[in-house]
Amino acid sequence: MKQTTSGEIRKNYLSQGYNRNQIECLMEGRKKGVDVSVYENPAFFSLQMNQILQGLLSGVDVSLYAKTEYDWFQMEEIRKGLERNLDVTKYMDPDMDFRIMRELRKGLEINIDLTSFTHMEPGKIRQIRLAFISKVSILDEIKEGYDDQQLDEIRQALEKGIRVQDYITPEFRQRAIKEIVLGLEEGIDVSLYAKIYYSWKQMQQLRLGIEHRVDITKYSNRLYSDEQMQEIRLGLEAGVNVDAYRRFMYTAKEMRSIRIRLVEEGAQEVVEEKPEESNETVETFQNARKLNDLEVHISEDGMEAYIDMTKQMNDWEQADILKTLYIKGIRNGIMSDKIEAISKNKIREKKVMVAKGVRPQHGADGYYEYFFRTDISNDDKQLPDKALDLQNLEWYETVKKGQKLAVYHSPTEGVSGVAVSGATVPARKGKELPILKGRGFTFDADGQTYFAAQDGKITFNEDGIFVTDIHELKGVTSTQGNLYFDGMVIVKGPVGNGTCLEASDDIIIEGYVETATIKSGGSIIIKQGVNASNTGCIHAKKAVLAKYFESANIFAGQRLQADYCMNSDIVTEGRVVLIGENGSLIGGSCTAQEGMIVQNLGNRAGIVTAVSIGIEAEVQRELDKIKEETDKILEDLERLKSAQLEIIDKYPPEVRNTQEIFLKIGSAIFTKNKQLEHMTEKQQQLKNRMTQIRYAGICVLGDIFENVNVKIDDVRWVSRASKNVTLKRINKRISVYQH
């Protein structure tokens, strides 16, 4: 029997009324060996066909949704539910919005039944689902009439323990609520701007003004636009007289021009012009020489006056000089001794200072006085042999609830000066500093003194002050089960076999660690050693420090440092540092994106040791994953655009523009394009990271032994015995440099 060719099959489909996209989907199904008769129906859009095909390929019962009454968005939600073994009957209604289907499906995935909320808008159901996850309630706010965007801000505030509801009503829009939440997070008096007649941009300017300690009453009038508010706020922060331009008659652009001029003038000492020459004084000065005979120069800042001595001054009387200086506007700081010397012809200089003003003493800027150590650093602490000194490591400082943490000293006003003209030179008031940011502290009513709100560890960095919980344990054993702590953990003893310890902050262990799983959102410091028998793992977002590691699995987000590592598997996005008298990396594998510095690499016995720096495999896998996701998005986009063209070809504009399915396609295309932008951004970030670590190297201070397998980026090299070398990738080879 003659076999039908693919061309004949395509021609047959075409004769039955299938379009090109439908035919391609049917041919793909045939190629992959599925029963295409399930969706061999011209009434299906190609996108519907694709959802049925995807279900057939994943082995689910597609008969539940392979129906023309479901659009492909609904089909996708049912298919995904079936693939996850969910009870899809809870949302298989063809009249149900696919976005509601999606929320119900996502709820079922985490054992949350949202079917009682299907009468609500999809966005609100999404917020309910997220609130269930974070264990907060927004049901009262839904009853009050808040929309899904407002609910999103309220939910996030509740998750942080902030009761923003005390300051808002449904009349506040989402961004306005966000500005109120931001203020509450910083502990400022949001009642000063949480008013319905302010736009969110006006609220933002008022919030920033409060945070920078300026007098917001200067611009809190709602008749100001947010741009005008900004110009007044910036002027207040710069210490200029905003009364000169804060009238409503000025546009924001005009305000900006005046503000910049005032700031520039404020950088100069003199703000008043010197007094003009008085005709009356000149007329009464009968005995004085002609004024032009005495050449007087005033410095640009108005603080010094000089007489040009290049002209003949032999017969000038002291009184005549003084009177002439007065007429020329020199009224202050006159140096009588110099005038007398000139009149007695005792000066041989070409230019003589005869008057000197009093410079203003500008006010001191505001500053914080701290009552805890701000100089504690997590940098490497080293003994004379360059080994890490874990026993004396100063890693953190503790505070008690109510302890004074900081006091803000306000800027001073300063003392005005006087120019040689007699004009007052105003002193600039010192600049205010913004309020401290962070968490775990309170401050007094005037925002000057800060106190710890709890016992705990205090961290001070560019982001502010943070006081977090400290949990102390005598030791950790498997009988305690899985332990999780929000904050820092200090273990006074060992961490035993089969244990699991996790903390959001640093973990400091004073004893030994055996076959345990330890995870930290900060760093992990083990003052003794680790012998893990190749089970369990140590995982830290930041650094991992220990006396030694044996048969351990370790991940460090920033760096790993120890005396030595033996037969361990190490991965770090930062550096590996193994220095000191016993500093060695022996056996196992070590991947360090930013390179490593070790005392010895390998051992005399030639145990196989694998080291890799540069582009870590995990980063490459992430790039591959992003590419895969990007390809899927592009594939979906192509299908959506093809379906869009199908409808455009089939219906005139006045018909298709009112079709819900056509509008859904347009929305889906927009969403896919946004996803594509996000993927492109993530991809670029990873590529930038790769560029940063491209020139990483391996520095060996002592011996590198034979049988060390080195990989730098994509270049491999097997070591030979040598001393004091640095390994780097140059072009397509690894170069060895002698120290």
Side-chain angles (χ1 to χ4, degrees), residues 73-74 77-78 88 90-93 95-108 112-126 129 664:
F73 296 103
Q74 294 170 313
E77 296 307 323
I78 297 171
V88 296
K90 290 183 177 293
Y91 63 88
M92 281 180 55
D93 183 356
D95 294 326
M96 183 180 290
D97 189 308
F98 80 94
R99 294 170 296 175
I100 296 177
M101 285 185 168
R102 179 175 300 163
E103 294 307 321
L104 266 59
R105 172 180 62 79
K106 289 186 175 182
L108 290 171
I112 296 175
D113 188 349
L114 298 171
T115 52
S116 60
F117 302 107
T118 54
H119 62 285
M120 295 183 182
E121 298 169 358
K124 289 185 178 180
I125 301 174
R126 179 176 185 273
R129 175 175 62 80
K664 282 183 179 180

Side-chain angles (χ1 to χ4, degrees), residues 59-78:
V60 301
D61 183 4
V62 298
S63 65
L64 293 173
Y65 68 87
K67 302 170 184 178
T68 54
E69 56 261 39
Y70 291 117
D71 65 38
W72 60 88
F73 296 103
Q74 294 170 313
M75 286 182 172
E76 182 179 33
E77 296 307 323
I78 297 171

Side-chain angles (χ1 to χ4, degrees), residues 520-537:
S520 167
S523 296
I524 297 174
I525 301 97
I526 303 167
K527 293 191 175 181
Q528 299 301 324
V530 179
N531 194 325
S533 302
N534 291 316
T535 59
C537 70

Side-chain angles (χ1 to χ4, degrees), residues 124-156:
K124 289 185 178 180
I125 301 174
R126 179 176 185 273
Q127 293 304 320
I128 293 171
R129 175 175 62 80
L130 295 173
F132 268 119
I133 294 172
S134 55
K135 296 181 173 58
V136 298
S137 175
I138 56 172
L139 297 180
D140 288 341
E141 285 67 41
I142 289 176
K143 291 177 183 177
E144 290 179 38
Y146 289 97
D147 64 30
D148 59 320
Q149 293 182 327
Q150 293 168 309
L151 291 169
D152 188 48
E153 295 297 337
I154 295 169
R155 174 184 57 78
Q156 292 184 63

Side-chain angles (χ1 to χ4, degrees), residues 254-315:
E254 290 169 331
M255 285 183 173
R256 181 175 184 275
S257 178
I258 298 170
R259 174 177 64 81
I260 291 173
R261 176 173 58 79
L262 289 174
V263 170
E264 290 173 348
E265 288 177 354
Q268 303 171 6
E269 298 284 42
V270 180
V271 295
E272 298 180 17
E273 295 180 359
K274 67 178 182 179
E276 295 180 0
E277 296 177 353
S278 168
N279 291 330
E280 182 181 354
T281 304
V282 173
E283 291 170 2
T284 59
F285 185 28
Q286 300 296 330
N287 296 324
R289 300 272 190 106
K290 290 182 179 180
L291 294 178
N292 291 337
D293 287 349
L294 188 68
E295 191 168 335
V296 178
H297 301 284
I298 299 176
S299 63
E300 187 175 344
D301 60 7
M303 284 295 168
E304 296 170 352
Y306 298 85
I307 289 179
D308 185 351
M309 298 293 292
T310 58
K311 293 190 175 183
Q312 183 60 250
M313 296 288 295
N314 291 337
D315 54 351

Side-chain angles (χ1 to χ4, degrees), residues 67 109 185 244 279 346 437 442 471 473 496 573 602 712 729:
K67 302 170 184 178
E109 287 177 2
E185 283 185 295
N279 291 330
K346 293 182 177 180
K437 296 181 181 293
T442 59
H471 307 274
L473 305 172
E573 294 176 357
I712 302 180
R729 177 183 182 272

